[in-house]
Amino acid sequence: TITIALQTGIEYSLNGTTYQISNVFAGLAPNNYTLYVRNTLDGTCAANSGTTTVKINPVPTAPSIPTASSVVQPTCAIPTGTITIALQTGIEYSLNGTTYQISNVFAGLAPNNYTLYVRNTLDGTCAANSGTTTVKINPVPTAPSIPTTSSVVQPTCAIPTGTITIASQTGMEYSLNGTTYQTSNIFAGLAPNNYTLYIRNTLDGTCAANSGTTTVKINTVPTAPSIPTTLNVVQPTCAIPTGTITIASQTGMEYSLNGTTYQTSNAFAGLAPNNYTLYVRNTLDGTCAANSGTTTVKINPVPTAPSIPTTLNVLQPTCAIQSGTITIAPQTGMEYSLNGTTYQISNVFAGLAPNNYTLYVRNNLDGTCATNSGATTVKISTVPTAPSIPTTLNVVQPTCAIPTGTITIASQTGMEYSLNGTTYQTSNIFAGLAPN
Protein backbone atom coordinates (compact mmCIF):
# COMPACT_ATOMS: atom_id res chain seq x y z
CA THR A 1 0.00 0.00 0.00
CA ILE A 2 1.24 3.48 -0.95
CA THR A 3 -0.46 6.64 0.42
CA ILE A 4 0.49 9.78 -1.49
CA ALA A 5 0.62 13.01 0.49
CA LEU A 6 -2.80 14.70 0.22
CA GLN A 7 -3.19 17.91 -1.90
CA THR A 8 -6.44 19.92 -2.36
CA GLY A 9 -8.19 19.57 -5.75
CA ILE A 10 -5.77 16.87 -6.82
CA GLU A 11 -6.15 13.32 -8.13
CA TYR A 12 -3.50 10.64 -7.91
CA SER A 13 -1.82 7.88 -9.96
CA LEU A 14 1.06 5.40 -9.80
CA ASN A 15 1.45 4.98 -13.53
CA GLY A 16 0.59 8.48 -14.95
CA THR A 17 -2.37 7.04 -16.78
CA THR A 18 -4.97 5.88 -14.37
CA TYR A 19 -5.88 8.51 -11.84
CA GLN A 20 -8.11 8.30 -8.76
CA ILE A 21 -9.45 10.77 -6.27
CA SER A 22 -8.12 8.60 -3.35
CA ASN A 23 -4.52 9.09 -2.44
CA VAL A 24 -4.32 5.50 -1.15
CA PHE A 25 -3.17 2.67 -3.42
CA ALA A 26 -3.56 -0.81 -1.92
CA GLY A 27 -2.99 -4.33 -3.22
CA LEU A 28 0.26 -3.33 -4.88
CA ALA A 29 2.61 -5.97 -6.20
CA PRO A 30 6.25 -5.61 -5.27
CA ASN A 31 7.81 -3.00 -7.58
CA ASN A 32 9.29 0.49 -7.78
CA TYR A 33 6.50 3.06 -8.20
CA THR A 34 6.59 6.69 -9.50
CA LEU A 35 4.06 8.99 -7.88
CA TYR A 36 1.81 11.13 -10.11
CA VAL A 37 -0.56 14.03 -9.23
CA ARG A 38 -2.70 16.36 -11.42
CA ASN A 39 -5.40 18.99 -11.03
CA THR A 40 -8.81 17.45 -11.18
CA LEU A 41 -10.04 20.30 -13.44
CA ASP A 42 -7.01 20.52 -15.68
CA GLY A 43 -5.01 17.43 -16.52
CA THR A 44 -2.18 19.54 -17.87
CA CYS A 45 -1.58 20.80 -14.40
CA ALA A 46 0.41 17.65 -13.38
CA ALA A 47 3.59 16.59 -11.53
CA ASN A 48 5.42 13.34 -10.68
CA SER A 49 8.21 12.11 -8.40
CA GLY A 50 10.54 11.62 -11.31
CA THR A 51 13.42 9.36 -10.51
CA THR A 52 12.35 9.23 -6.90
CA THR A 53 10.31 6.09 -6.67
CA VAL A 54 8.57 4.29 -3.87
CA LYS A 55 9.50 0.65 -3.50
CA ILE A 56 7.01 -2.05 -2.58
CA ASN A 57 9.22 -4.82 -1.28
CA PRO A 58 8.82 -8.45 -2.20
CA VAL A 59 6.53 -10.42 0.10
CA PRO A 60 8.65 -11.28 3.21
CA THR A 61 9.94 -14.88 3.54
CA ALA A 62 7.90 -16.98 5.99
CA PRO A 63 10.11 -18.85 8.50
CA SER A 64 10.24 -22.66 8.80
CA ILE A 65 8.92 -24.40 11.89
CA PRO A 66 11.69 -23.73 14.43
CA THR A 67 13.78 -26.61 15.85
CA ALA A 68 16.60 -26.73 18.34
CA SER A 69 20.07 -27.20 16.88
CA SER A 70 21.46 -27.88 20.36
CA VAL A 71 20.31 -28.07 23.95
CA VAL A 72 22.70 -27.75 26.89
CA GLN A 73 21.15 -29.07 30.09
CA PRO A 74 21.85 -27.69 33.58
CA THR A 75 24.76 -29.15 35.52
CA CYS A 76 25.89 -28.85 39.12
CA ALA A 77 28.59 -26.49 37.83
CA ILE A 78 26.16 -24.42 35.67
CA PRO A 79 22.66 -24.85 37.11
CA THR A 80 20.85 -23.33 34.05
CA GLY A 81 20.28 -24.60 30.53
CA THR A 82 20.88 -23.25 27.00
CA ILE A 83 18.71 -23.70 23.88
CA THR A 84 20.11 -22.86 20.46
CA ILE A 85 17.35 -22.55 17.78
CA ALA A 86 18.36 -23.73 14.29
CA LEU A 87 19.46 -20.64 12.35
CA GLN A 88 17.22 -19.18 9.57
CA THR A 89 18.11 -16.17 7.37
CA GLY A 90 16.37 -12.88 8.16
CA ILE A 91 14.70 -14.26 11.23
CA GLU A 92 14.56 -13.30 14.90
CA TYR A 93 13.92 -15.70 17.77
CA SER A 94 11.92 -16.03 20.96
CA LEU A 95 11.03 -18.59 23.64
CA ASN A 96 7.83 -16.88 24.78
CA GLY A 97 6.40 -15.39 21.56
CA THR A 98 6.69 -11.90 22.98
CA THR A 99 10.30 -10.99 23.45
CA TYR A 100 12.38 -11.60 20.30
CA GLN A 101 16.12 -11.35 19.78
CA ILE A 102 18.45 -11.51 16.82
CA SER A 103 20.60 -14.20 18.54
CA ASN A 104 19.34 -17.75 18.21
CA VAL A 105 21.03 -18.71 21.51
CA PHE A 106 19.07 -18.57 24.78
CA ALA A 107 21.21 -19.15 27.88
CA GLY A 108 20.53 -19.02 31.63
CA LEU A 109 17.27 -20.94 31.26
CA ALA A 110 15.48 -22.31 34.30
CA PRO A 111 14.19 -25.91 34.13
CA ASN A 112 10.96 -25.86 32.07
CA ASN A 113 9.36 -26.90 28.76
CA TYR A 114 10.01 -24.23 26.11
CA THR A 115 8.12 -23.50 22.85
CA LEU A 116 10.34 -22.14 20.06
CA TYR A 117 9.23 -19.00 18.16
CA VAL A 118 10.66 -17.40 14.97
CA ARG A 119 9.49 -14.43 12.89
CA ASN A 120 10.74 -12.38 9.97
CA THR A 121 12.79 -9.43 11.19
CA LEU A 122 10.98 -7.15 8.70
CA ASP A 123 7.49 -8.51 9.18
CA GLY A 124 6.30 -9.80 12.52
CA THR A 125 3.34 -11.44 10.82
CA CYS A 126 5.73 -13.87 9.11
CA ALA A 127 6.08 -16.09 12.15
CA ALA A 128 6.12 -19.76 13.19
CA ASN A 129 6.49 -21.75 16.36
CA SER A 130 7.16 -25.33 17.42
CA GLY A 131 3.59 -25.78 18.64
CA THR A 132 3.15 -28.73 20.95
CA THR A 133 6.71 -29.80 20.29
CA THR A 134 8.62 -28.25 23.16
CA VAL A 135 12.21 -28.34 24.27
CA LYS A 136 12.75 -29.47 27.85
CA ILE A 137 15.34 -27.93 30.13
CA ASN A 138 15.82 -30.58 32.80
CA PRO A 139 15.96 -29.91 36.54
CA VAL A 140 19.43 -29.29 37.92
CA PRO A 141 21.00 -32.74 38.43
CA THR A 142 21.02 -34.14 41.95
CA ALA A 143 24.35 -33.72 43.71
CA PRO A 144 25.43 -36.98 45.41
CA SER A 145 25.96 -37.36 49.13
CA ILE A 146 29.43 -38.12 50.48
CA PRO A 147 29.95 -41.78 49.53
CA THR A 148 30.14 -44.43 52.25
CA THR A 149 30.48 -48.19 52.17
CA SER A 150 27.56 -50.53 52.65
CA SER A 151 29.91 -53.50 53.02
CA VAL A 152 33.59 -54.42 52.84
CA VAL A 153 34.75 -58.00 52.24
CA GLN A 154 38.39 -58.51 53.19
CA PRO A 155 40.77 -60.92 51.42
CA THR A 156 40.90 -64.52 52.60
CA CYS A 157 43.25 -67.40 51.90
CA ALA A 158 40.50 -68.80 49.66
CA ILE A 159 39.85 -65.45 47.87
CA PRO A 160 43.02 -63.32 48.16
CA THR A 161 41.34 -60.06 47.01
CA GLY A 162 38.81 -57.75 48.65
CA THR A 163 35.45 -56.29 47.68
CA ILE A 164 34.09 -52.80 48.46
CA THR A 165 30.38 -52.07 48.02
CA ILE A 166 29.60 -48.33 48.01
CA ALA A 167 26.22 -47.40 49.50
CA SER A 168 23.86 -46.97 46.54
CA GLN A 169 22.48 -43.55 45.52
CA THR A 170 19.84 -43.08 42.79
CA GLY A 171 21.12 -41.95 39.39
CA MET A 172 24.79 -42.21 40.30
CA GLU A 173 27.91 -43.96 39.06
CA TYR A 174 30.87 -45.02 41.17
CA SER A 175 34.66 -45.08 41.17
CA LEU A 176 37.62 -45.89 43.41
CA ASN A 177 40.14 -43.71 41.57
CA GLY A 178 38.07 -40.71 40.42
CA THR A 179 38.83 -41.52 36.78
CA THR A 180 37.15 -44.76 35.83
CA TYR A 181 33.45 -44.84 36.75
CA GLN A 182 30.94 -47.69 36.57
CA THR A 183 27.19 -48.01 37.12
CA SER A 184 27.70 -50.91 39.56
CA ASN A 185 28.45 -49.89 43.14
CA ILE A 186 30.41 -53.13 43.73
CA PHE A 187 34.19 -53.28 43.24
CA ALA A 188 35.64 -56.79 43.48
CA GLY A 189 39.13 -58.23 42.95
CA LEU A 190 40.78 -55.41 44.91
CA ALA A 191 44.43 -55.64 45.95
CA PRO A 192 45.31 -54.65 49.53
CA ASN A 193 45.38 -50.85 49.71
CA ASN A 194 43.59 -47.77 51.07
CA TYR A 195 40.79 -46.71 48.71
CA THR A 196 39.01 -43.34 48.34
CA LEU A 197 35.34 -43.59 47.32
CA TYR A 198 34.08 -41.45 44.40
CA ILE A 199 30.51 -40.89 43.18
CA ARG A 200 29.01 -38.70 40.46
CA ASN A 201 25.68 -38.13 38.71
CA THR A 202 25.40 -40.34 35.62
CA LEU A 203 24.02 -37.37 33.62
CA ASP A 204 26.45 -34.77 34.92
CA GLY A 205 30.02 -35.49 35.86
CA THR A 206 30.26 -32.14 37.64
CA CYS A 207 27.79 -33.43 40.25
CA ALA A 208 30.39 -35.42 42.15
CA ALA A 209 31.61 -36.16 45.66
CA ASN A 210 34.26 -38.32 47.30
CA SER A 211 35.14 -39.62 50.74
CA GLY A 212 38.16 -37.31 51.02
CA THR A 213 40.63 -38.33 53.69
CA THR A 214 38.26 -41.08 54.87
CA THR A 215 39.53 -44.14 53.04
CA VAL A 216 38.49 -47.78 53.03
CA LYS A 217 41.25 -50.26 53.78
CA ILE A 218 41.53 -53.61 52.05
CA ASN A 219 43.73 -55.66 54.37
CA THR A 220 46.67 -57.78 53.32
CA VAL A 221 45.91 -61.43 52.60
CA PRO A 222 45.76 -63.26 55.96
CA THR A 223 48.72 -65.40 56.99
CA ALA A 224 48.22 -69.11 56.43
CA PRO A 225 49.19 -71.16 59.52
CA SER A 226 51.91 -73.79 59.65
CA ILE A 227 51.04 -77.45 60.24
CA PRO A 228 50.20 -77.56 63.98
CA THR A 229 52.43 -79.46 66.40
CA THR A 230 52.32 -80.01 70.15
CA LEU A 231 54.24 -77.84 72.54
CA ASN A 232 53.41 -80.10 75.49
CA VAL A 233 51.25 -83.11 76.37
CA VAL A 234 50.21 -83.90 79.95
CA GLN A 235 48.82 -87.42 80.35
CA PRO A 236 46.02 -88.38 82.77
CA THR A 237 46.98 -89.35 86.31
CA CYS A 238 45.04 -90.88 89.18
CA ALA A 239 45.03 -87.41 90.76
CA ILE A 240 43.89 -85.69 87.50
CA PRO A 241 42.17 -88.33 85.36
CA THR A 242 42.17 -86.18 82.18
CA GLY A 243 44.92 -85.04 79.84
CA THR A 244 46.10 -81.69 78.49
CA ILE A 245 47.40 -80.89 75.00
CA THR A 246 49.17 -77.59 74.37
CA ILE A 247 49.52 -76.77 70.66
CA ALA A 248 52.65 -74.85 69.64
CA SER A 249 51.62 -71.19 69.44
CA GLN A 250 51.41 -69.30 66.11
CA THR A 251 50.79 -65.54 65.87
CA GLY A 252 47.24 -64.47 65.00
CA MET A 253 45.83 -67.98 65.15
CA GLU A 254 43.08 -69.88 67.00
CA TYR A 255 43.09 -73.57 67.83
CA SER A 256 40.85 -76.64 67.82
CA LEU A 257 40.96 -80.39 68.43
CA ASN A 258 37.88 -81.19 66.35
CA GLY A 259 38.02 -78.67 63.49
CA THR A 260 34.69 -77.16 64.54
CA THR A 261 35.07 -75.43 67.89
CA TYR A 262 38.00 -73.02 67.97
CA GLN A 263 39.51 -71.05 70.86
CA THR A 264 42.18 -68.39 71.18
CA SER A 265 44.00 -70.40 73.87
CA ASN A 266 46.38 -73.05 72.55
CA ALA A 267 45.92 -75.22 75.69
CA PHE A 268 43.20 -77.89 75.85
CA ALA A 269 42.65 -79.41 79.29
CA GLY A 270 40.17 -81.96 80.65
CA LEU A 271 40.69 -84.30 77.69
CA ALA A 272 39.37 -87.86 77.79
CA PRO A 273 41.69 -90.62 76.58
CA ASN A 274 41.65 -90.58 72.76
CA ASN A 275 43.68 -89.79 69.65
CA TYR A 276 43.40 -86.09 68.79
CA THR A 277 44.00 -84.24 65.49
CA LEU A 278 45.37 -80.70 65.90
CA TYR A 279 43.69 -77.83 64.02
CA VAL A 280 44.80 -74.19 63.64
CA ARG A 281 43.29 -71.31 61.65
CA ASN A 282 43.75 -67.56 61.26
CA THR A 283 41.53 -65.63 63.72
CA LEU A 284 40.51 -63.21 60.94
CA ASP A 285 39.97 -65.79 58.21
CA GLY A 286 38.70 -69.32 58.78
CA THR A 287 39.81 -70.34 55.27
CA CYS A 288 43.44 -69.91 56.37
CA ALA A 289 43.62 -73.25 58.18
CA ALA A 290 45.83 -76.29 58.66
CA ASN A 291 45.70 -79.54 60.63
CA SER A 292 48.03 -82.31 61.69
CA GLY A 293 46.37 -84.80 59.32
CA THR A 294 47.12 -88.42 60.12
CA THR A 295 49.59 -87.34 62.81
CA THR A 296 47.52 -87.45 65.98
CA VAL A 297 48.29 -86.83 69.64
CA LYS A 298 47.36 -89.65 72.04
CA ILE A 299 45.89 -89.03 75.46
CA ASN A 300 46.53 -92.28 77.35
CA PRO A 301 43.97 -94.15 79.49
CA VAL A 302 43.91 -93.17 83.16
CA PRO A 303 46.67 -95.20 84.91
CA THR A 304 45.63 -98.22 87.01
CA ALA A 305 45.46 -97.52 90.74
CA PRO A 306 47.21 -100.20 92.88
CA SER A 307 45.54 -102.36 95.50
CA ILE A 308 46.44 -102.05 99.20
CA PRO A 309 49.86 -103.70 99.43
CA THR A 310 50.33 -106.90 101.41
CA THR A 311 53.36 -109.12 102.10
CA LEU A 312 54.03 -112.18 100.02
CA ASN A 313 56.76 -113.28 102.39
CA VAL A 314 58.74 -112.03 105.40
CA LEU A 315 62.16 -113.40 106.41
CA GLN A 316 63.25 -112.45 109.93
CA PRO A 317 66.88 -111.89 110.94
CA THR A 318 68.89 -114.89 112.17
CA CYS A 319 72.25 -115.25 113.83
CA ALA A 320 73.50 -116.33 110.40
CA ILE A 321 71.74 -113.48 108.48
CA GLN A 322 71.24 -110.63 110.86
CA SER A 323 68.78 -108.67 108.67
CA GLY A 324 65.26 -109.32 107.49
CA THR A 325 63.59 -109.47 104.09
CA ILE A 326 60.09 -108.32 103.14
CA THR A 327 58.58 -109.41 99.83
CA ILE A 328 55.50 -107.33 98.86
CA ALA A 329 52.82 -109.18 96.91
CA PRO A 330 53.41 -108.19 93.25
CA GLN A 331 50.97 -106.06 91.21
CA THR A 332 51.25 -105.48 87.46
CA GLY A 333 52.81 -102.18 86.38
CA MET A 334 53.74 -101.13 89.90
CA GLU A 335 56.82 -100.11 91.86
CA TYR A 336 57.39 -100.57 95.58
CA SER A 337 58.72 -98.76 98.62
CA LEU A 338 59.00 -99.15 102.40
CA ASN A 339 59.31 -95.43 103.15
CA GLY A 340 57.06 -93.79 100.55
CA THR A 341 60.02 -91.93 99.08
CA THR A 342 62.40 -94.37 97.48
CA TYR A 343 60.68 -96.73 95.07
CA GLN A 344 62.04 -99.73 93.19
CA ILE A 345 60.70 -102.06 90.50
CA SER A 346 61.60 -105.13 92.63
CA ASN A 347 59.04 -106.13 95.23
CA VAL A 348 61.77 -107.68 97.41
CA PHE A 349 63.41 -105.60 100.15
CA ALA A 350 66.39 -107.37 101.79
CA GLY A 351 68.94 -106.30 104.42
CA LEU A 352 66.27 -104.77 106.61
CA ALA A 353 67.10 -103.64 110.12
CA PRO A 354 64.60 -104.59 112.85
CA ASN A 355 61.67 -102.13 112.63
CA ASN A 356 58.00 -101.79 111.81
CA TYR A 357 57.61 -101.18 108.08
CA THR A 358 54.70 -99.61 106.14
CA LEU A 359 54.27 -101.01 102.63
CA TYR A 360 53.94 -98.58 99.70
CA VAL A 361 53.03 -99.27 96.08
CA ARG A 362 52.47 -96.93 93.14
CA ASN A 363 51.97 -97.09 89.37
CA ASN A 364 55.35 -96.89 87.70
CA LEU A 365 53.94 -94.46 85.08
CA ASP A 366 52.09 -92.23 87.53
CA GLY A 367 53.29 -91.52 91.04
CA THR A 368 49.86 -90.17 91.98
CA CYS A 369 48.42 -93.69 91.57
CA ALA A 370 49.67 -94.87 94.94
CA THR A 371 48.54 -96.53 98.15
CA ASN A 372 50.06 -97.97 101.32
CA SER A 373 49.29 -100.42 104.06
CA GLY A 374 48.43 -97.58 106.45
CA ALA A 375 48.40 -98.62 110.09
CA THR A 376 49.09 -102.23 109.13
CA THR A 377 52.86 -102.57 109.36
CA VAL A 378 55.25 -105.45 108.87
CA LYS A 379 57.67 -106.11 111.72
CA ILE A 380 61.24 -107.13 111.21
CA SER A 381 62.26 -108.61 114.57
CA THR A 382 65.50 -107.96 116.38
CA VAL A 383 68.42 -110.28 115.66
CA PRO A 384 68.09 -113.40 117.92
CA THR A 385 70.44 -113.63 120.95
CA ALA A 386 73.30 -116.14 120.44
CA PRO A 387 73.52 -118.68 123.33
CA SER A 388 76.56 -119.16 125.53
CA ILE A 389 78.44 -122.46 125.44
CA PRO A 390 76.04 -124.86 127.18
CA THR A 391 77.04 -126.33 130.51
CA THR A 392 75.36 -128.71 132.84
CA LEU A 393 73.45 -127.38 135.73
CA ASN A 394 73.08 -130.92 137.14
CA VAL A 395 73.70 -134.56 136.24
CA VAL A 396 71.80 -137.42 137.87
CA GLN A 397 73.41 -140.80 137.30
CA PRO A 398 71.55 -144.11 136.95
CA THR A 399 70.82 -146.12 140.06
CA CYS A 400 69.54 -149.62 140.68
CA ALA A 401 66.25 -147.96 141.46
CA ILE A 402 66.32 -145.66 138.38
CA PRO A 403 68.51 -147.30 135.79
CA THR A 404 68.70 -144.13 133.57
CA GLY A 405 70.41 -140.79 133.99
CA THR A 406 69.26 -137.18 133.82
CA ILE A 407 71.16 -134.15 132.43
CA THR A 408 69.98 -130.63 133.22
CA ILE A 409 71.59 -127.98 130.95
CA ALA A 410 72.22 -124.63 132.58
CA SER A 411 69.24 -122.49 131.59
CA GLN A 412 69.61 -119.52 129.10
CA THR A 413 66.79 -117.09 128.28
CA GLY A 414 64.99 -117.63 125.02
CA MET A 415 66.78 -120.87 124.22
CA GLU A 416 65.83 -124.44 123.37
CA TYR A 417 68.00 -127.43 124.08
CA SER A 418 69.20 -130.68 122.48
CA LEU A 419 71.59 -133.54 123.18
CA ASN A 420 71.97 -134.57 119.54
CA GLY A 421 71.86 -131.25 117.66
CA THR A 422 68.81 -132.41 115.79
CA THR A 423 65.94 -132.75 118.20
CA TYR A 424 65.42 -129.61 120.31
CA GLN A 425 63.08 -128.95 123.19
CA THR A 426 62.19 -125.98 125.29
CA SER A 427 62.92 -127.88 128.54
CA ASN A 428 66.52 -127.91 129.62
CA ILE A 429 66.05 -131.28 131.41
CA PHE A 430 66.76 -134.55 129.63
CA ALA A 431 65.72 -137.64 131.66
CA GLY A 432 65.67 -141.37 130.91
CA LEU A 433 69.12 -141.24 129.38
CA ALA A 434 70.95 -144.46 128.59
CA PRO A 435 74.55 -144.61 129.63
CA ASN A 436 76.50 -142.65 127.02
Side-chain angles (χ1 to χ4, degrees), residues 26 91 98 107 130 133 154 161 234 245 265 301 331 361 373 411 414 421 430:
I91 303 298
T98 301
S130 60
T133 303
Q154 296 295 349
T161 57
V234 178
I245 294 174
S265 171
Q331 298 181 46
V361 62
S373 59
S411 177
F430 295 86

Side-chain angles (χ1 to χ4, degrees), residues 83-379:
I83 296 174
T84 300
I85 300 176
L87 198 64
Q88 298 182 45
T89 304
I91 303 298
E92 59 186 1
Y93 310 88
S94 174
L95 292 181
N96 60 10
T98 301
T99 304
Y100 282 82
Q101 62 183 43
I102 295 300
S103 173
N104 63 329
V105 179
F106 294 83
L109 299 176
N112 208 341
N113 290 318
Y114 290 89
T115 300
L116 309 182
Y117 296 85
V118 291
R119 71 182 182 186
N120 192 290
T121 54
L122 299 177
D123 179 9
T125 67
C126 292
N129 64 68
S130 60
T132 58
T133 303
T134 58
V135 177
K136 183 178 183 179
I137 294 298
N138 297 327
V140 179
T142 303
S145 303
I146 299 297
T148 59
T149 58
S150 61
S151 73
V152 178
V153 179
Q154 296 295 349
T156 65
C157 285
I159 302 174
T161 57
T163 297
I164 294 173
T165 301
I166 300 176
S168 179
Q169 297 184 42
T170 303
M172 300 298 162
E173 58 187 1
Y174 310 88
S175 175
L176 291 182
N177 60 10
T179 301
T180 305
Y181 281 82
Q182 61 184 46
T183 54
S184 172
N185 61 332
I186 300 172
F187 296 82
L190 300 176
N193 207 343
N194 290 318
Y195 290 89
T196 300
L197 311 181
Y198 295 85
I199 186 170
R200 71 182 183 188
N201 192 292
T202 54
L203 300 177
D204 177 17
T206 68
C207 294
N210 64 68
S211 60
T213 58
T214 302
T215 57
V216 178
K217 183 176 183 180
I218 294 297
N219 298 328
T220 55
V221 180
T223 303
S226 304
I227 299 297
T229 58
T230 56
L231 179 64
N232 186 40
V233 178
V234 178
Q235 296 295 347
T237 66
C238 285
I240 301 174
T242 57
T244 297
I245 294 174
T246 301
I247 300 176
S249 179
Q250 298 183 44
T251 302
M253 300 298 161
E254 57 188 1
Y255 310 89
S256 175
L257 293 181
N258 61 9
T260 302
T261 305
Y262 281 81
Q263 61 183 45
T264 53
S265 171
N266 62 330
F268 295 82
L271 300 176
N274 207 342
N275 289 319
Y276 290 89
T277 300
L278 311 182
Y279 296 84
V280 61
R281 72 182 182 187
N282 191 291
T283 54
L284 300 177
D285 176 17
T287 69
C288 294
N291 64 69
S292 59
T294 57
T295 302
T296 58
V297 179
K298 184 177 183 180
I299 294 296
N300 297 327
V302 179
T304 302
S307 304
I308 300 296
T310 60
T311 57
L312 179 65
N313 185 40
V314 178
L315 296 178
Q316 297 295 345
T318 65
C319 286
I321 301 174
Q322 297 187 354
S323 60
T325 297
I326 295 173
T327 301
I328 300 175
Q331 298 181 46
T332 303
M334 301 298 162
E335 58 187 1
Y336 309 90
S337 175
L338 292 181
N339 60 8
T341 302
T342 306
Y343 281 82
Q344 60 184 45
I345 296 298
S346 173
N347 62 329
V348 179
F349 294 84
L352 299 175
N355 207 341
N356 289 319
Y357 290 91
T358 299
L359 311 182
Y360 295 86
V361 62
R362 71 180 182 188
N363 190 294
N364 55 26
L365 299 178
D366 176 17
T368 69
C369 293
T371 188
N372 61 67
S373 59
T376 302
T377 58
V378 178
K379 182 176 182 178

Side-chain angles (χ1 to χ4, degrees), residues 8-62:
T8 303
I10 300 300
E11 57 186 0
Y12 308 89
S13 175
L14 292 179
N15 59 11
T17 301
T18 304
Y19 281 84
Q20 61 184 41
I21 295 301
S22 173
N23 64 330
V24 178
F25 296 83
L28 298 174
N31 207 338
N32 289 316
Y33 290 90
T34 301
L35 309 182
Y36 295 87
V37 292
R38 70 182 180 185
N39 191 286
T40 54
L41 300 178
D42 179 7
T44 63
C45 292
N48 63 67
S49 59
T51 58
T52 301
T53 59
V54 178
K55 183 177 183 180
I56 294 298
N57 296 326
V59 178
T61 303

